[in-house]
Structures are given as C-alpha cells and as structure tokens.
Amino acid sequence: MTGAYRSESGIELPTAAGPDDVRAGLEARLGAPGEYPFTRGVYPTMYTSRPWTMRQYAGFGTARESNARYHQLLAAGGHGLSVAFDLPTQMGYDSDEPIAHGEVGKVGVAIDSIDDMRTLFDRIPLGEVSTSMTINAPAAVLLLLYQLVAEEQGVPGAKLTGTIQNDVLKEYIARGTYIFPPRPSLRLVADTFGYCASELPRWNTISISGYHMAEAGATPVQEIAFTLANGIEYVQTAIEAGLAVDDFAPRLSFFFVARTTLLEEVAKFRAARRIWARIMRERFGATNPKAQMLRFHTQTAGVQLTAQQPEVNLVRVAVQGLGAVLGGTQSLHTNSYDEAIALPTEKAARLALRTQQVLAYETDLTGTVDPFAGSYLVEGLTDEVEDAAVALIDKVFEHGSAVAAIEAGFQKQQIELSAYEVAQQIESGERTVVGVNRFTTDDDEPYEPLRVDPTIGAEQEKRLAALRADRDAPAVRAALGAVRAAAAGTDNVLPPMRAALAARATVGEVCHALRDVWGTYRPTEQF
C-alpha cells in the first residue's frame, strides 16, 4: 500500500484503494464470522443477536460513593460494572499506611477489607451483573473479596461472571503499579488461573492489556504486538504450571484502546484476532475454538481527551466508540468528556453511556456482521498491521521471552520513542488536535469538576481501626502465617489468602504477607 498519508503506525495508506491493495487468498484469511481465524469476529452473529456489553468504568472516594454511582449507571441502562481502584489499593497498601497519605480515594475507590467490598456492592445482585476490576498486582486479593461478598448474597462462584485485569507484565512496561518481582508475580497469575478453573469457572482470569501501553504512547502495531507477546508469556506460564491450554485459554481476555484514527483501529482489532488464533493453534496446539478466540474489552482513548474545549471530547469519544464496534469488541467503556480535568461528574458519565446507546440502538451497526469485510482499504491495512505486529513480536522473542525483553527495556524504549514523536508532531502543528493547536478559543467556558472529599483518608483510617479492634486477632495472625507458608512453598496461594480475607485480614496485610516471602520489585533490580 502506498500513498501520501501515514497511519499512526507509519503505514502508508493509498489515496484511493483498489483490488491491487488486497493480497490474494483473502477468503482464507477472513473465514466466516465466529470461525478460525476469527478475523470477522469471535461469534457467528456478533451484534445481530445482542449488542456489546456496555461496561462503564467508575470508582472514586469511598465504597459508599462508588456504590451510588454504580446504581446510577445500572439505572441508566448499563449492562455491567467496571471498578476503578485508588492507587494505594492498586499497590497493595491499606489506607492508613503512611505511603497512602494523600492518595486515598483519589483515582478510584479505596478498598481495604471485606467490609469495604461489601459496601461497594451493596444491593447489587452479583449473580446477575458482570463486573470487571481494573486491578493487577493484588488482583487475586480483590477477586477473593468479591467472591466472599457474593457468597454472602447467596451467589456461588459458579454463577459469577466478570474479569480481573491481572496483567502484571504491562506494569513493568508502561504503568508501574507492580508489587512483587516478575517471577512470583507470574506464579500468582498461574495460581489464579488454577483457582478459578475450579472455583469461578465463568470468570475471565486475566485481561491482557494493550490499553495502558497505548496511553503511554504505543502505536497500534506496538499495542497489539507487545500485548500478544505478553499473552504468550502468560500462556506458557500456565502450561508450565500444569494447566491444559484448552481448559484455561477460553477464560483469557484482552483490553485495547480505541483511538480517533478509526480505519487503522478497525484493522488493528481484526489483525489482533487473526494473529492470536494462529498463535494459539500453531504455537500452543489449542484445538478448542474458544481457546483460539481473542475476546476483548475496549476503552476509548483517555490520552486523546483534552482539557481545552472539553465538550469536543464527546465527538472524539463517539468516533472512537464507533471504531471499537466496527472492530468487533465484546464490551466497551466510553470515556466521559470531562475526564481530562477531573473524575467524571454524574451528567458526564451518563452522556458517555448514552453515546454507546445511540450507537447500539439508533444506527444500523447491529444489523450485520463485520461491515468492513472485503473493503479494499481495510483488508489491505489489516494485512499491513498484521505483518508489522508479527515482525515486532519476533523482535520481542529475539530476547528469549517477553520477560527478558522487558528486562532489556525493549518495549518501554520503543513506546517512549513513539510517544516522543507524537509530542513533536503536536508541538510543530504537523498533527492537529482540535482546540489545542488549531481551532482554539480565548475564553473557555467555566467548568466545575467533581471533587473528592479530602476527609476520605481519615474516614478510612477510622474504619480500619474499628475493624482491627473488632476482629479475632489471633485468627488473623494464623491465617496470614498460612499465606506466607504457601508463598514459600508450591501450594496454590489463593485458598489461604481467601481464608485470611474471610477472617477480616486487610488487603495490605495479605499483600505484606506475600512481600515478606517474595520481596518487592525495584526498577533498578534485574529480573
């Protein structure tokens, strides 16, 4: 493909695509919808039988405040919940620890114990709602709390549906909310796979995430290449732990961004499905079609939201959501227009959901499967993205493994170079950002952001003090000792972690028990 315009990944697009831009053998590369290699989607009927899951991401302040927002979203027609946790929770610290000061409840909800999780899902029927939790290093801890609260509602683990992100490798590449060194982190992932296979068979045990790498500056090609390389590492880890690929792989899911460059995003999603299907069949010998499927959640691009003229973000988000749907996403979160300024207001969150509802119920997107199939431009671009991503995956594994490449700083360096190039393009005006470097105004309208109560930290400290005074302290100490013993041995660590949490051990205490054995990763250390 040749032309004057270059895509986000540097691929030249033809000014007018034609048959010569599509390679021979398209029919084999496409397959039928719901069939290998799943280019046209993972289900035969896709949205014609039901739309994608509208899963709005929310969480702030206390569990009580977030619970109120969840009820608002469900009442507005949302299909599932997606939980944002505050930074201390993501790092495995309790709200009353000195390191948590000033961060409690700021970028998500503070969850310190089963008491908080109980409040977070008060009056929400966990047997009927699918819940996604954006949590990584301590993902197993939060999942166990969710399971315990569901059991209090009378809902067995076999009925629970949802996803934990649980993708620690991308934390070393792009995000930084890691706790343990990579090897024990991978063990914890494998233990979670094994635990859920018997206890929560419908739960998606990992959401292998390219979103955060994209937010850090990865191109579409880098996003899927580095994400699928991490996926290979997780699958290999699970197999080495004795799990059968056809049994655990159907519970894997992925998480990608949707940018405003709609055509390349559609090609990216189609290429990712095709590459993953081939990896699972040819590299790992998966024979179960569900083990070959790349099912994914999409979130619109937070990094493309602007604080200037924030209402324009409504248009950006609509275009990004359209790209995700045309690309065949299984679930979607549309960002609120005010998120570049602060946590979204109730009105902004409702408008974000309404954007999805317009796409689902006022357009003809749900009337047919994969409407871009056969498009000269999209099919040619899908092939180009696929080739570039496969070549980049090969470069990752020239280091020996995805972990070894992370150790060498390969992925991080590539993403930083891409981010720098984009920043230069915006600064020079080569790349237009409406309201920022073109079509600006001198007087933006005043905006009143949602503000988090600064007393939340003190409130959480009081709750923790009351919990520790009320619980059976010797039972908690014994349970945490069992967690350390399992971590030091080869037993699955989740059953003793569950027992400790049921005894009202805190998130921080369980994570510290694991730290005592596994240590804490420091960026200057070698893996």
Side-chain angles (χ1 to χ4, degrees):
M1 300 178 77
T2 58
Y5 179 86
R6 284 187 175 271
S7 76
E8 293 282 303
S9 300
I11 299 168
E12 291 187 359
L13 271 63
T15 52
D20 291 343
D21 292 299
V22 182
R23 300 172 196 165
L26 176 61
E27 187 174 345
R29 294 197 303 278
L30 280 177
E35 295 181 9
Y36 185 91
F38 306 104
T39 307
R40 302 199 62 193
V42 293
Y43 304 122
T45 57
M46 288 302 290
Y47 310 135
T48 61
S49 55
R50 66 180 181 126
W52 59 94
T53 299
M54 299 176 196
R55 189 189 302 283
Q56 289 301 104
Y57 183 53
F60 61 94
T62 65
R64 188 177 301 107
E65 290 173 295
S66 291
N67 174 263
R69 175 62 60 85
Y70 297 155
H71 282 284
Q72 291 163 3
L73 289 169
L74 292 173
H79 299 159
L81 299 175
S82 185
V83 183
F85 296 94
D86 73 353
L87 192 57
T89 304
Q90 293 180 50
M91 299 293 291
Y93 293 109
D94 289 330
S95 296
D96 60 355
E97 296 189 54
I99 197 171
H101 182 72
E103 292 293 340
V104 177
K106 288 293 178 65
V107 299
V109 62
I111 298 295
D112 291 316
S113 70
I114 190 171
D115 295 8
D116 290 332
M117 189 66 87
R118 193 180 293 126
T119 301
L120 184 65
F121 291 104
D122 182 43
R123 296 175 293 110
I124 293 176
L126 299 187
E128 301 171 21
V129 172
S130 173
T131 302
S132 173
M133 292 188 276
T134 303
I135 193 75
N136 292 284
V141 182
L142 277 300
L143 175 60
L144 292 168
L145 288 175
Y146 187 87
Q147 181 187 12
L148 289 167
V149 169
E151 288 174 348
E152 292 177 355
Q153 291 186 4
V155 181
K159 288 192 66 177
L160 294 178
T161 59
T163 304
I164 44 173
Q165 195 160 102
N166 199 27
D167 175 9
V168 72
L169 291 181
K170 65 96 173 44
E171 299 296 324
Y172 304 106
I173 295 172
R175 196 157 174 269
T177 60
Y178 40 70
I179 299 176
F180 318 111
R183 301 300 175 186
S185 292
L186 285 173
R187 177 203 165 167
L188 186 55
V189 169
D191 280 359
T192 303
F193 287 175
Y195 178 86
C196 289
S198 59
E199 295 287 331
L200 292 91
R202 299 176 65 194
W203 196 268
N204 297 319
T205 49
I206 193 168
S207 178
I208 307 165
S209 175
Y211 181 87
H212 302 93
M213 290 185 274
E215 291 285 282
T219 67
V221 163
Q222 289 171 340
E223 179 192 356
I224 61 171
F226 296 152
T227 303
L228 300 187
N230 286 348
I232 291 170
E233 194 80 34
Y234 291 125
V235 172
Q236 188 64 46
T237 297
I239 290 171
E240 290 172 358
L243 303 178
V245 67
D246 281 328
D247 293 338
F248 73 81
R251 303 280 20 119
L252 303 177
S253 68
F254 291 79
F255 177 25
F256 296 117
V257 77
R259 301 169 179 82
T260 52
T261 44
L262 183 148
L263 297 175
E264 187 175 18
E265 292 301 286
V266 172
K268 176 192 77 177
F269 295 132
R270 300 168 91 248
R273 277 194 295 270
R274 197 152 74 203
I275 297 168
W276 186 247
R278 192 166 60 247
I279 287 170
M280 294 307 292
R281 175 186 275 192
E282 297 177 5
R283 183 170 186 144
F284 294 111
T287 58
N288 180 353
K290 291 183 177 179
Q292 301 166 352
M293 293 178 182
L294 184 146
R295 296 170 302 112
F296 65 96
H297 170 71
T298 308
Q299 181 172 339
T300 56
V303 73
Q304 291 186 322
L305 298 175
T306 64
Q308 300 92 332
Q309 301 181 39
E311 292 85 355
V312 178
N313 292 327
L314 286 165
V315 181
R316 293 187 178 100
V317 168
V319 172
Q320 293 162 359
L322 177 62
V325 171
L326 289 170
T329 192
Q330 276 58 74
S331 65
L332 177 62
H333 164 87
T334 36
N335 289 329
S336 300
Y337 73 89
D338 54 357
E339 287 188 50
I341 303 170
L343 290 167
T345 60
E346 179 184 347
K347 178 182 179 181
R350 186 171 60 248
L351 282 170
L353 177 58
R354 294 288 183 255
T355 301
Q356 294 202 50
Q357 291 165 337
V358 168
L359 291 174
Y361 301 113
E362 291 193 22
T363 74
D364 52 6
L365 289 172
T366 59
T368 188
V369 178
D370 188 26
F372 271 133
S375 159
Y376 297 140
L377 186 285
V378 171
E379 294 298 358
L381 188 53
T382 299
D383 290 343
E384 295 275 5
V385 170
E386 178 182 9
D387 289 350
V390 169
L392 191 51
I393 291 171
D394 289 343
K395 286 187 177 180
V396 169
F397 283 94
E398 286 176 6
H399 293 82
S401 67
V403 168
I406 292 168
E407 174 181 316
F410 175 70
Q411 299 96 319
K412 190 172 186 292
Q413 181 189 52
Q414 295 297 305
I415 291 170
E416 287 173 350
L417 288 171
S418 296
Y420 179 65
E421 183 177 348
V422 169
Q424 284 186 310
Q425 290 170 353
I426 294 172
E427 182 69 24
S428 69
E430 179 184 350
R431 178 186 293 253
T432 294
V433 181
V434 174
V436 175
N437 62 3
R438 286 188 72 187
F439 314 112
T440 59
T441 58
D442 295 328
D443 53 339
D444 283 343
E445 296 180 10
Y447 172 80
E448 183 59 36
L450 177 70
R451 301 191 186 279
V452 176
D453 186 347
T455 66
I456 286 172
E459 181 180 338
Q460 285 297 109
E461 288 182 18
K462 289 179 182 178
R463 288 172 60 84
L464 281 164
L467 175 143
R468 292 189 175 108
D470 184 57
R471 67 188 184 182
D472 185 340
V476 171
R477 284 196 296 272
L480 292 172
V483 171
R484 293 186 188 92
T490 58
D491 290 345
N492 191 306
V493 295
L494 269 72
M497 286 166 58
R498 175 181 169 178
L501 293 165
R504 301 177 78 194
T506 67
V507 171
E509 288 167 343
V510 171
C511 289
H512 284 310
L514 296 175
R515 283 185 180 95
D516 290 343
V517 179
W518 293 340
T520 301
Y521 174 69
R522 307 293 179 193
T524 55
E525 293 175 359
Q526 292 297 306
F527 289 16

